[in-house]
Every structure is written in C-alpha cells, then in structure tokens.
PDB file of all heavy atoms in Angstrom:
ATOM      1  N   ASP A 348      11.186 -62.128  -3.501  1.00 91.00           N
ATOM      2  CA  ASP A 348      10.153 -62.677  -2.629  1.00 91.00           C
ATOM      3  C   ASP A 348      10.254 -61.968  -1.276  1.00 91.00           C
ATOM      4  O   ASP A 348       9.311 -61.394  -0.774  1.00 91.00           O
ATOM      5  CB  ASP A 348      10.288 -64.194  -2.491  1.00 91.00           C
ATOM      6  CG  ASP A 348      11.705 -64.667  -2.166  1.00 91.00           C
ATOM      7  OD1 ASP A 348      12.623 -63.827  -2.088  1.00 91.00           O
ATOM      8  OD2 ASP A 348      11.882 -65.877  -1.978  1.00 91.00           O
ATOM      9  N   LYS A 349      11.427 -61.993  -0.732  1.00 79.00           N
ATOM     10  CA  LYS A 349      11.774 -61.168   0.420  1.00 79.00           C
ATOM     11  C   LYS A 349      13.258 -60.889   0.316  1.00 79.00           C
ATOM     12  O   LYS A 349      14.016 -61.680  -0.252  1.00 79.00           O
ATOM     13  CB  LYS A 349      11.437 -61.862   1.741  1.00 79.00           C
ATOM     14  CG  LYS A 349      12.173 -63.180   1.963  1.00 79.00           C
ATOM     15  CD  LYS A 349      11.768 -63.783   3.290  1.00 79.00           C
ATOM     16  CE  LYS A 349      12.502 -65.105   3.542  1.00 79.00           C
ATOM     17  NZ  LYS A 349      12.123 -65.707   4.828  1.00 79.00           N
ATOM     18  N   ASN A 350      13.688 -59.753   0.847  1.00 73.00           N
ATOM     19  CA  ASN A 350      15.096 -59.410   0.748  1.00 73.00           C
ATOM     20  C   ASN A 350      15.937 -60.410   1.513  1.00 73.00           C
ATOM     21  O   ASN A 350      15.576 -60.845   2.609  1.00 73.00           O
ATOM     22  CB  ASN A 350      15.344 -58.000   1.292  1.00 73.00           C
ATOM     23  CG  ASN A 350      14.784 -56.924   0.396  1.00 73.00           C
ATOM     24  OD1 ASN A 350      14.578 -57.145  -0.798  1.00 73.00           O
ATOM     25  ND2 ASN A 350      14.522 -55.756   0.945  1.00 73.00           N
ATOM     26  N   ASP A 351      17.043 -60.797   0.923  1.00 79.00           N
ATOM     27  CA  ASP A 351      17.921 -61.763   1.555  1.00 79.00           C
ATOM     28  C   ASP A 351      18.855 -61.044   2.526  1.00 79.00           C
ATOM     29  O   ASP A 351      19.685 -60.242   2.121  1.00 79.00           O
ATOM     30  CB  ASP A 351      18.731 -62.528   0.508  1.00 79.00           C
ATOM     31  CG  ASP A 351      19.306 -63.807   1.071  1.00 79.00           C
ATOM     32  OD1 ASP A 351      19.952 -63.732   2.136  1.00 79.00           O
ATOM     33  OD2 ASP A 351      19.106 -64.876   0.475  1.00 79.00           O
ATOM     34  N   ALA A 352      18.698 -61.340   3.808  1.00 87.00           N
ATOM     35  CA  ALA A 352      19.452 -60.634   4.843  1.00 87.00           C
ATOM     36  C   ALA A 352      20.949 -60.906   4.775  1.00 87.00           C
ATOM     37  O   ALA A 352      21.744 -60.134   5.319  1.00 87.00           O
ATOM     38  CB  ALA A 352      18.917 -61.016   6.228  1.00 87.00           C
ATOM     39  N   GLU A 353      21.358 -61.983   4.106  1.00 92.00           N
ATOM     40  CA  GLU A 353      22.770 -62.334   4.055  1.00 92.00           C
ATOM     41  C   GLU A 353      23.506 -61.694   2.886  1.00 92.00           C
ATOM     42  O   GLU A 353      24.727 -61.877   2.764  1.00 92.00           O
ATOM     43  CB  GLU A 353      22.926 -63.857   3.974  1.00 92.00           C
ATOM     44  CG  GLU A 353      22.459 -64.587   5.221  1.00 92.00           C
ATOM     45  CD  GLU A 353      22.653 -66.092   5.124  1.00 92.00           C
ATOM     46  OE1 GLU A 353      23.047 -66.579   4.043  1.00 92.00           O
ATOM     47  OE2 GLU A 353      22.413 -66.759   6.124  1.00 92.00           O
ATOM     48  N   LEU A 354      22.812 -60.965   2.043  1.00 95.00           N
ATOM     49  CA  LEU A 354      23.440 -60.447   0.824  1.00 95.00           C
ATOM     50  C   LEU A 354      24.652 -59.577   1.125  1.00 95.00           C
ATOM     51  O   LEU A 354      25.705 -59.739   0.508  1.00 95.00           O
ATOM     52  CB  LEU A 354      22.410 -59.665   0.000  1.00 95.00           C
ATOM     53  CG  LEU A 354      22.915 -59.080  -1.318  1.00 95.00           C
ATOM     54  CD1 LEU A 354      23.372 -60.172  -2.280  1.00 95.00           C
ATOM     55  CD2 LEU A 354      21.826 -58.213  -1.974  1.00 95.00           C
ATOM     56  N   ALA A 355      24.523 -58.647   2.066  1.00 96.00           N
ATOM     57  CA  ALA A 355      25.633 -57.742   2.369  1.00 96.00           C
ATOM     58  C   ALA A 355      26.839 -58.503   2.914  1.00 96.00           C
ATOM     59  O   ALA A 355      27.988 -58.209   2.546  1.00 96.00           O
ATOM     60  CB  ALA A 355      25.188 -56.673   3.364  1.00 96.00           C
ATOM     61  N   ALA A 356      26.590 -59.481   3.781  1.00 95.00           N
ATOM     62  CA  ALA A 356      27.686 -60.265   4.343  1.00 95.00           C
ATOM     63  C   ALA A 356      28.361 -61.096   3.259  1.00 95.00           C
ATOM     64  O   ALA A 356      29.598 -61.242   3.250  1.00 95.00           O
ATOM     65  CB  ALA A 356      27.158 -61.165   5.462  1.00 95.00           C
ATOM     66  N   TRP A 357      27.553 -61.650   2.363  1.00 95.00           N
ATOM     67  CA  TRP A 357      28.110 -62.417   1.246  1.00 95.00           C
ATOM     68  C   TRP A 357      29.006 -61.537   0.380  1.00 95.00           C
ATOM     69  O   TRP A 357      30.128 -61.920   0.023  1.00 95.00           O
ATOM     70  CB  TRP A 357      26.972 -63.007   0.407  1.00 95.00           C
ATOM     71  CG  TRP A 357      27.412 -63.587  -0.891  1.00 95.00           C
ATOM     72  CD1 TRP A 357      27.949 -64.820  -1.104  1.00 95.00           C
ATOM     73  CD2 TRP A 357      27.371 -62.948  -2.176  1.00 95.00           C
ATOM     74  NE1 TRP A 357      28.243 -64.996  -2.439  1.00 95.00           N
ATOM     75  CE2 TRP A 357      27.899 -63.860  -3.116  1.00 95.00           C
ATOM     76  CE3 TRP A 357      26.921 -61.705  -2.624  1.00 95.00           C
ATOM     77  CZ2 TRP A 357      27.991 -63.559  -4.479  1.00 95.00           C
ATOM     78  CZ3 TRP A 357      27.025 -61.405  -3.969  1.00 95.00           C
ATOM     79  CH2 TRP A 357      27.551 -62.334  -4.884  1.00 95.00           C
ATOM     80  N   TRP A 358      28.527 -60.346   0.047  1.00 97.00           N
ATOM     81  CA  TRP A 358      29.303 -59.442  -0.793  1.00 97.00           C
ATOM     82  C   TRP A 358      30.613 -59.060  -0.112  1.00 97.00           C
ATOM     83  O   TRP A 358      31.685 -59.053  -0.743  1.00 97.00           O
ATOM     84  CB  TRP A 358      28.483 -58.191  -1.111  1.00 97.00           C
ATOM     85  CG  TRP A 358      29.216 -57.171  -1.919  1.00 97.00           C
ATOM     86  CD1 TRP A 358      29.718 -55.983  -1.487  1.00 97.00           C
ATOM     87  CD2 TRP A 358      29.563 -57.249  -3.305  1.00 97.00           C
ATOM     88  NE1 TRP A 358      30.340 -55.309  -2.503  1.00 97.00           N
ATOM     89  CE2 TRP A 358      30.254 -56.070  -3.649  1.00 97.00           C
ATOM     90  CE3 TRP A 358      29.339 -58.207  -4.294  1.00 97.00           C
ATOM     91  CZ2 TRP A 358      30.735 -55.820  -4.924  1.00 97.00           C
ATOM     92  CZ3 TRP A 358      29.824 -57.955  -5.577  1.00 97.00           C
ATOM     93  CH2 TRP A 358      30.507 -56.779  -5.877  1.00 97.00           C
ATOM     94  N   LYS A 359      30.559 -58.764   1.163  1.00 96.00           N
ATOM     95  CA  LYS A 359      31.757 -58.390   1.902  1.00 96.00           C
ATOM     96  C   LYS A 359      32.787 -59.515   1.875  1.00 96.00           C
ATOM     97  O   LYS A 359      33.983 -59.276   1.733  1.00 96.00           O
ATOM     98  CB  LYS A 359      31.395 -58.032   3.342  1.00 96.00           C
ATOM     99  CG  LYS A 359      32.566 -57.548   4.169  1.00 96.00           C
ATOM    100  CD  LYS A 359      32.125 -57.147   5.568  1.00 96.00           C
ATOM    101  CE  LYS A 359      33.302 -56.659   6.405  1.00 96.00           C
ATOM    102  NZ  LYS A 359      32.860 -56.269   7.779  1.00 96.00           N
ATOM    103  N   ALA A 360      32.302 -60.762   1.991  1.00 95.00           N
ATOM    104  CA  ALA A 360      33.199 -61.915   2.019  1.00 95.00           C
ATOM    105  C   ALA A 360      33.774 -62.263   0.658  1.00 95.00           C
ATOM    106  O   ALA A 360      34.895 -62.768   0.563  1.00 95.00           O
ATOM    107  CB  ALA A 360      32.458 -63.128   2.588  1.00 95.00           C
ATOM    108  N   LEU A 361      33.016 -61.981  -0.407  1.00 95.00           N
ATOM    109  CA  LEU A 361      33.417 -62.454  -1.739  1.00 95.00           C
ATOM    110  C   LEU A 361      34.019 -61.385  -2.640  1.00 95.00           C
ATOM    111  O   LEU A 361      34.726 -61.706  -3.603  1.00 95.00           O
ATOM    112  CB  LEU A 361      32.211 -63.079  -2.445  1.00 95.00           C
ATOM    113  CG  LEU A 361      31.924 -64.561  -2.203  1.00 95.00           C
ATOM    114  CD1 LEU A 361      33.053 -65.431  -2.740  1.00 95.00           C
ATOM    115  CD2 LEU A 361      31.648 -64.886  -0.769  1.00 95.00           C
ATOM    116  N   LYS A 362      33.755 -60.107  -2.381  1.00 95.00           N
ATOM    117  CA  LYS A 362      34.143 -59.079  -3.351  1.00 95.00           C
ATOM    118  C   LYS A 362      35.646 -59.028  -3.578  1.00 95.00           C
ATOM    119  O   LYS A 362      36.106 -58.622  -4.644  1.00 95.00           O
ATOM    120  CB  LYS A 362      33.613 -57.713  -2.926  1.00 95.00           C
ATOM    121  CG  LYS A 362      34.207 -57.176  -1.636  1.00 95.00           C
ATOM    122  CD  LYS A 362      33.599 -55.805  -1.299  1.00 95.00           C
ATOM    123  CE  LYS A 362      34.184 -55.244  -0.012  1.00 95.00           C
ATOM    124  NZ  LYS A 362      33.579 -53.911   0.297  1.00 95.00           N
ATOM    125  N   GLY A 363      36.422 -59.461  -2.584  1.00 94.00           N
ATOM    126  CA  GLY A 363      37.873 -59.472  -2.749  1.00 94.00           C
ATOM    127  C   GLY A 363      38.366 -60.490  -3.761  1.00 94.00           C
ATOM    128  O   GLY A 363      39.533 -60.443  -4.161  1.00 94.00           O
ATOM    129  N   GLN A 364      37.474 -61.388  -4.185  1.00 93.00           N
ATOM    130  CA  GLN A 364      37.845 -62.413  -5.162  1.00 93.00           C
ATOM    131  C   GLN A 364      37.555 -61.987  -6.603  1.00 93.00           C
ATOM    132  O   GLN A 364      37.797 -62.757  -7.529  1.00 93.00           O
ATOM    133  CB  GLN A 364      37.094 -63.715  -4.860  1.00 93.00           C
ATOM    134  CG  GLN A 364      37.410 -64.315  -3.500  1.00 93.00           C
ATOM    135  CD  GLN A 364      38.863 -64.697  -3.350  1.00 93.00           C
ATOM    136  OE1 GLN A 364      39.458 -65.275  -4.255  1.00 93.00           O
ATOM    137  NE2 GLN A 364      39.461 -64.368  -2.208  1.00 93.00           N
ATOM    138  N   ARG A 365      37.026 -60.793  -6.784  1.00 93.00           N
ATOM    139  CA  ARG A 365      36.763 -60.328  -8.150  1.00 93.00           C
ATOM    140  C   ARG A 365      38.074 -60.326  -8.939  1.00 93.00           C
ATOM    141  O   ARG A 365      39.110 -59.912  -8.454  1.00 93.00           O
ATOM    142  CB  ARG A 365      36.141 -58.926  -8.155  1.00 93.00           C
ATOM    143  CG  ARG A 365      34.773 -58.875  -7.540  1.00 93.00           C
ATOM    144  CD  ARG A 365      34.163 -57.489  -7.652  1.00 93.00           C
ATOM    145  NE  ARG A 365      33.248 -57.408  -8.776  1.00 93.00           N
ATOM    146  CZ  ARG A 365      32.500 -56.338  -9.049  1.00 93.00           C
ATOM    147  NH1 ARG A 365      32.591 -55.257  -8.310  1.00 93.00           N
ATOM    148  NH2 ARG A 365      31.681 -56.352 -10.079  1.00 93.00           N
ATOM    149  N   GLY A 366      37.984 -60.788 -10.158  1.00 91.00           N
ATOM    150  CA  GLY A 366      39.175 -61.015 -10.969  1.00 91.00           C
ATOM    151  C   GLY A 366      39.472 -62.496 -11.045  1.00 91.00           C
ATOM    152  O   GLY A 366      39.908 -62.993 -12.078  1.00 91.00           O
ATOM    153  N   LYS A 367      39.199 -63.202  -9.946  1.00 92.00           N
ATOM    154  CA  LYS A 367      39.288 -64.656  -9.935  1.00 92.00           C
ATOM    155  C   LYS A 367      37.903 -65.289 -10.067  1.00 92.00           C
ATOM    156  O   LYS A 367      37.756 -66.398 -10.565  1.00 92.00           O
ATOM    157  CB  LYS A 367      39.924 -65.145  -8.631  1.00 92.00           C
ATOM    158  CG  LYS A 367      41.327 -64.674  -8.375  1.00 92.00           C
ATOM    159  CD  LYS A 367      41.814 -65.198  -7.032  1.00 92.00           C
ATOM    160  CE  LYS A 367      43.202 -64.717  -6.691  1.00 92.00           C
ATOM    161  NZ  LYS A 367      43.633 -65.207  -5.345  1.00 92.00           N
ATOM    162  N   LEU A 368      36.897 -64.566  -9.578  1.00 93.00           N
ATOM    163  CA  LEU A 368      35.542 -65.090  -9.483  1.00 93.00           C
ATOM    164  C   LEU A 368      34.562 -64.049 -10.009  1.00 93.00           C
ATOM    165  O   LEU A 368      34.545 -62.910  -9.551  1.00 93.00           O
ATOM    166  CB  LEU A 368      35.236 -65.404  -8.016  1.00 93.00           C
ATOM    167  CG  LEU A 368      33.964 -66.146  -7.663  1.00 93.00           C
ATOM    168  CD1 LEU A 368      34.017 -67.597  -8.167  1.00 93.00           C
ATOM    169  CD2 LEU A 368      33.750 -66.141  -6.148  1.00 93.00           C
ATOM    170  N   LEU A 369      33.747 -64.433 -10.990  1.00 94.00           N
ATOM    171  CA  LEU A 369      32.714 -63.547 -11.518  1.00 94.00           C
ATOM    172  C   LEU A 369      31.512 -63.610 -10.578  1.00 94.00           C
ATOM    173  O   LEU A 369      30.942 -64.678 -10.355  1.00 94.00           O
ATOM    174  CB  LEU A 369      32.306 -63.986 -12.926  1.00 94.00           C
ATOM    175  CG  LEU A 369      31.163 -63.216 -13.584  1.00 94.00           C
ATOM    176  CD1 LEU A 369      31.526 -61.740 -13.750  1.00 94.00           C
ATOM    177  CD2 LEU A 369      30.812 -63.841 -14.928  1.00 94.00           C
ATOM    178  N   LEU A 370      31.140 -62.468 -10.020  1.00 96.00           N
ATOM    179  CA  LEU A 370      30.046 -62.410  -9.056  1.00 96.00           C
ATOM    180  C   LEU A 370      28.770 -61.899  -9.708  1.00 96.00           C
ATOM    181  O   LEU A 370      28.794 -61.273 -10.763  1.00 96.00           O
ATOM    182  CB  LEU A 370      30.435 -61.519  -7.873  1.00 96.00           C
ATOM    183  CG  LEU A 370      31.644 -61.970  -7.057  1.00 96.00           C
ATOM    184  CD1 LEU A 370      31.942 -60.959  -5.958  1.00 96.00           C
ATOM    185  CD2 LEU A 370      31.414 -63.354  -6.458  1.00 96.00           C
ATOM    186  N   GLY A 371      27.655 -62.168  -9.055  1.00 96.00           N
ATOM    187  CA  GLY A 371      26.371 -61.718  -9.555  1.00 96.00           C
ATOM    188  C   GLY A 371      25.284 -61.929  -8.522  1.00 96.00           C
ATOM    189  O   GLY A 371      25.546 -62.379  -7.402  1.00 96.00           O
ATOM    190  N   ALA A 372      24.058 -61.605  -8.892  1.00 96.00           N
ATOM    191  CA  ALA A 372      22.926 -61.761  -7.978  1.00 96.00           C
ATOM    192  C   ALA A 372      21.677 -62.087  -8.777  1.00 96.00           C
ATOM    193  O   ALA A 372      21.594 -61.801  -9.969  1.00 96.00           O
ATOM    194  CB  ALA A 372      22.721 -60.487  -7.162  1.00 96.00           C
ATOM    195  N   TYR A 373      20.701 -62.702  -8.099  1.00 96.00           N
ATOM    196  CA  TYR A 373      19.442 -63.009  -8.776  1.00 96.00           C
ATOM    197  C   TYR A 373      18.258 -62.465  -8.000  1.00 96.00           C
ATOM    198  O   TYR A 373      18.298 -62.268  -6.788  1.00 96.00           O
ATOM    199  CB  TYR A 373      19.301 -64.506  -9.039  1.00 96.00           C
ATOM    200  CG  TYR A 373      19.239 -65.440  -7.844  1.00 96.00           C
ATOM    201  CD1 TYR A 373      18.018 -65.812  -7.282  1.00 96.00           C
ATOM    202  CD2 TYR A 373      20.399 -65.995  -7.317  1.00 96.00           C
ATOM    203  CE1 TYR A 373      17.954 -66.700  -6.220  1.00 96.00           C
ATOM    204  CE2 TYR A 373      20.351 -66.888  -6.262  1.00 96.00           C
ATOM    205  CZ  TYR A 373      19.125 -67.239  -5.712  1.00 96.00           C
ATOM    206  OH  TYR A 373      19.070 -68.119  -4.654  1.00 96.00           O
ATOM    207  N   TRP A 374      17.208 -62.188  -8.762  1.00 97.00           N
ATOM    208  CA  TRP A 374      15.975 -61.622  -8.232  1.00 97.00           C
ATOM    209  C   TRP A 374      14.833 -62.572  -8.544  1.00 97.00           C
ATOM    210  O   TRP A 374      14.647 -62.964  -9.689  1.00 97.00           O
ATOM    211  CB  TRP A 374      15.702 -60.271  -8.889  1.00 97.00           C
ATOM    212  CG  TRP A 374      14.641 -59.446  -8.219  1.00 97.00           C
ATOM    213  CD1 TRP A 374      13.352 -59.282  -8.633  1.00 97.00           C
ATOM    214  CD2 TRP A 374      14.786 -58.654  -7.039  1.00 97.00           C
ATOM    215  NE1 TRP A 374      12.683 -58.442  -7.784  1.00 97.00           N
ATOM    216  CE2 TRP A 374      13.546 -58.041  -6.784  1.00 97.00           C
ATOM    217  CE3 TRP A 374      15.846 -58.406  -6.159  1.00 97.00           C
ATOM    218  CZ2 TRP A 374      13.328 -57.189  -5.695  1.00 97.00           C
ATOM    219  CZ3 TRP A 374      15.631 -57.559  -5.076  1.00 97.00           C
ATOM    220  CH2 TRP A 374      14.392 -56.965  -4.854  1.00 97.00           C
ATOM    221  N   VAL A 375      14.110 -62.970  -7.510  1.00 97.00           N
ATOM    222  CA  VAL A 375      12.948 -63.833  -7.707  1.00 97.00           C
ATOM    223  C   VAL A 375      11.860 -62.994  -8.364  1.00 97.00           C
ATOM    224  O   VAL A 375      11.352 -62.039  -7.765  1.00 97.00           O
ATOM    225  CB  VAL A 375      12.464 -64.418  -6.368  1.00 97.00           C
ATOM    226  CG1 VAL A 375      11.211 -65.263  -6.591  1.00 97.00           C
ATOM    227  CG2 VAL A 375      13.561 -65.273  -5.736  1.00 97.00           C
ATOM    228  N   LEU A 376      11.536 -63.331  -9.602  1.00 98.00           N
ATOM    229  CA  LEU A 376      10.603 -62.530 -10.385  1.00 98.00           C
ATOM    230  C   LEU A 376       9.200 -63.118 -10.328  1.00 98.00           C
ATOM    231  O   LEU A 376       8.990 -64.283 -10.665  1.00 98.00           O
ATOM    232  CB  LEU A 376      11.079 -62.444 -11.838  1.00 98.00           C
ATOM    233  CG  LEU A 376      10.252 -61.552 -12.772  1.00 98.00           C
ATOM    234  CD1 LEU A 376      10.269 -60.101 -12.288  1.00 98.00           C
ATOM    235  CD2 LEU A 376      10.778 -61.641 -14.200  1.00 98.00           C
ATOM    236  N   TYR A 377       8.261 -62.287  -9.901  1.00 98.00           N
ATOM    237  CA  TYR A 377       6.849 -62.660  -9.894  1.00 98.00           C
ATOM    238  C   TYR A 377       6.129 -61.902 -11.018  1.00 98.00           C
ATOM    239  O   TYR A 377       6.652 -60.917 -11.551  1.00 98.00           O
ATOM    240  CB  TYR A 377       6.220 -62.319  -8.548  1.00 98.00           C
ATOM    241  CG  TYR A 377       6.567 -63.279  -7.449  1.00 98.00           C
ATOM    242  CD1 TYR A 377       7.684 -63.078  -6.638  1.00 98.00           C
ATOM    243  CD2 TYR A 377       5.783 -64.408  -7.206  1.00 98.00           C
ATOM    244  CE1 TYR A 377       8.022 -63.964  -5.626  1.00 98.00           C
ATOM    245  CE2 TYR A 377       6.106 -65.299  -6.196  1.00 98.00           C
ATOM    246  CZ  TYR A 377       7.212 -65.073  -5.413  1.00 98.00           C
ATOM    247  OH  TYR A 377       7.538 -65.961  -4.418  1.00 98.00           O
ATOM    248  N   PRO A 378       4.937 -62.335 -11.389  1.00 98.00           N
ATOM    249  CA  PRO A 378       4.203 -61.638 -12.451  1.00 98.00           C
ATOM    250  C   PRO A 378       3.818 -60.211 -12.045  1.00 98.00           C
ATOM    251  O   PRO A 378       3.579 -59.925 -10.872  1.00 98.00           O
ATOM    252  CB  PRO A 378       2.951 -62.510 -12.630  1.00 98.00           C
ATOM    253  CG  PRO A 378       3.336 -63.859 -12.113  1.00 98.00           C
ATOM    254  CD  PRO A 378       4.264 -63.578 -10.968  1.00 98.00           C
ATOM    255  N   GLY A 379       3.778 -59.330 -13.051  1.00 98.00           N
ATOM    256  CA  GLY A 379       3.327 -57.968 -12.842  1.00 98.00           C
ATOM    257  C   GLY A 379       4.440 -56.995 -12.474  1.00 98.00           C
ATOM    258  O   GLY A 379       5.428 -57.360 -11.827  1.00 98.00           O
ATOM    259  N   SER A 380       4.267 -55.737 -12.915  1.00 98.00           N
ATOM    260  CA  SER A 380       5.184 -54.632 -12.581  1.00 98.00           C
ATOM    261  C   SER A 380       6.651 -54.969 -12.820  1.00 98.00           C
ATOM    262  O   SER A 380       7.508 -54.774 -11.940  1.00 98.00           O
ATOM    263  CB  SER A 380       4.984 -54.206 -11.120  1.00 98.00           C
ATOM    264  OG  SER A 380       3.642 -53.907 -10.840  1.00 98.00           O
ATOM    265  N   PRO A 381       7.008 -55.458 -13.998  1.00 98.00           N
ATOM    266  CA  PRO A 381       8.393 -55.898 -14.215  1.00 98.00           C
ATOM    267  C   PRO A 381       9.423 -54.783 -14.123  1.00 98.00           C
ATOM    268  O   PRO A 381      10.533 -55.022 -13.623  1.00 98.00           O
ATOM    269  CB  PRO A 381       8.349 -56.508 -15.623  1.00 98.00           C
ATOM    270  CG  PRO A 381       7.180 -55.868 -16.284  1.00 98.00           C
ATOM    271  CD  PRO A 381       6.173 -55.664 -15.198  1.00 98.00           C
ATOM    272  N   THR A 382       9.115 -53.579 -14.594  1.00 98.00           N
ATOM    273  CA  THR A 382      10.126 -52.512 -14.530  1.00 98.00           C
ATOM    274  C   THR A 382      10.342 -52.059 -13.088  1.00 98.00           C
ATOM    275  O   THR A 382      11.475 -51.773 -12.692  1.00 98.00           O
ATOM    276  CB  THR A 382       9.738 -51.311 -15.411  1.00 98.00           C
ATOM    277  OG1 THR A 382       8.457 -50.809 -15.022  1.00 98.00           O
ATOM    278  CG2 THR A 382       9.671 -51.724 -16.877  1.00 98.00           C
ATOM    279  N   SER A 383       9.276 -52.010 -12.297  1.00 98.00           N
ATOM    280  CA  SER A 383       9.428 -51.651 -10.879  1.00 98.00           C
ATOM    281  C   SER A 383      10.243 -52.705 -10.146  1.00 98.00           C
ATOM    282  O   SER A 383      11.069 -52.380  -9.280  1.00 98.00           O
ATOM    283  CB  SER A 383       8.053 -51.503 -10.217  1.00 98.00           C
ATOM    284  OG  SER A 383       7.328 -50.440 -10.775  1.00 98.00           O
ATOM    285  N   ARG A 384      10.036 -53.961 -10.497  1.00 98.00           N
ATOM    286  CA  ARG A 384      10.804 -55.041  -9.874  1.00 98.00           C
ATOM    287  C   ARG A 384      12.281 -54.945 -10.275  1.00 98.00           C
ATOM    288  O   ARG A 384      13.168 -55.195  -9.451  1.00 98.00           O
ATOM    289  CB  ARG A 384      10.211 -56.392 -10.259  1.00 98.00           C
ATOM    290  CG  ARG A 384       8.802 -56.621  -9.734  1.00 98.00           C
ATOM    291  CD  ARG A 384       8.263 -57.996 -10.131  1.00 98.00           C
ATOM    292  NE  ARG A 384       6.853 -58.129  -9.874  1.00 98.00           N
ATOM    293  CZ  ARG A 384       6.301 -58.473  -8.704  1.00 98.00           C
ATOM    294  NH1 ARG A 384       7.094 -58.711  -7.670  1.00 98.00           N
ATOM    295  NH2 ARG A 384       5.001 -58.578  -8.562  1.00 98.00           N
ATOM    296  N   ALA A 385      12.545 -54.595 -11.522  1.00 98.00           N
ATOM    297  CA  ALA A 385      13.936 -54.424 -11.955  1.00 98.00           C
ATOM    298  C   ALA A 385      14.605 -53.275 -11.208  1.00 98.00           C
ATOM    299  O   ALA A 385      15.772 -53.388 -10.784  1.00 98.00           O
ATOM    300  CB  ALA A 385      13.985 -54.188 -13.465  1.00 98.00           C
ATOM    301  N   ASP A 386      13.883 -52.168 -11.028  1.00 98.00           N
ATOM    302  CA  ASP A 386      14.435 -51.043 -10.270  1.00 98.00           C
ATOM    303  C   ASP A 386      14.711 -51.442  -8.826  1.00 98.00           C
ATOM    304  O   ASP A 386      15.722 -51.031  -8.237  1.00 98.00           O
ATOM    305  CB  ASP A 386      13.468 -49.860 -10.306  1.00 98.00           C
ATOM    306  CG  ASP A 386      13.482 -49.120 -11.637  1.00 98.00           C
ATOM    307  OD1 ASP A 386      14.515 -49.161 -12.335  1.00 98.00           O
ATOM    308  OD2 ASP A 386      12.457 -48.500 -11.978  1.00 98.00           O
ATOM    309  N   ALA A 387      13.818 -52.241  -8.249  1.00 97.00           N
ATOM    310  CA  ALA A 387      14.009 -52.689  -6.871  1.00 97.00           C
ATOM    311  C   ALA A 387      15.249 -53.585  -6.757  1.00 97.00           C
ATOM    312  O   ALA A 387      15.987 -53.526  -5.756  1.00 97.00           O
ATOM    313  CB  ALA A 387      12.766 -53.435  -6.385  1.00 97.00           C
ATOM    314  N   PHE A 388      15.486 -54.406  -7.769  1.00 97.00           N
ATOM    315  CA  PHE A 388      16.667 -55.269  -7.826  1.00 97.00           C
ATOM    316  C   PHE A 388      17.933 -54.425  -7.800  1.00 97.00           C
ATOM    317  O   PHE A 388      18.841 -54.640  -6.974  1.00 97.00           O
ATOM    318  CB  PHE A 388      16.578 -56.114  -9.088  1.00 97.00           C
ATOM    319  CG  PHE A 388      17.655 -57.144  -9.292  1.00 97.00           C
ATOM    320  CD1 PHE A 388      18.511 -57.526  -8.268  1.00 97.00           C
ATOM    321  CD2 PHE A 388      17.809 -57.759 -10.533  1.00 97.00           C
ATOM    322  CE1 PHE A 388      19.500 -58.497  -8.464  1.00 97.00           C
ATOM    323  CE2 PHE A 388      18.781 -58.729 -10.744  1.00 97.00           C
ATOM    324  CZ  PHE A 388      19.633 -59.083  -9.711  1.00 97.00           C
TER     325      PHE A 388
END
C-alpha cells in the first residue's frame, strides 16, 4: 500500500535473533500486476 518506513529499523533490531526467531515480511497485495508487485516486494 505504501512502503513501511520502519522496516529497516525492525530488521536491524531483530536480525540478530535468527536461529531463535524465524523472521519474515508481508506485502499488501492489491488486484492487478501480480508479478510486478512480487518483484517490488
């Protein structure tokens, strides 16, 4: 919908927990242009 400005800060804070915590991200999907949206993700 719009880029989440906190994503980089979240990753910096959490990436050290990999191995203890499975991390991931989600993309708000709207209709149309699904492959372009996946590339943008």
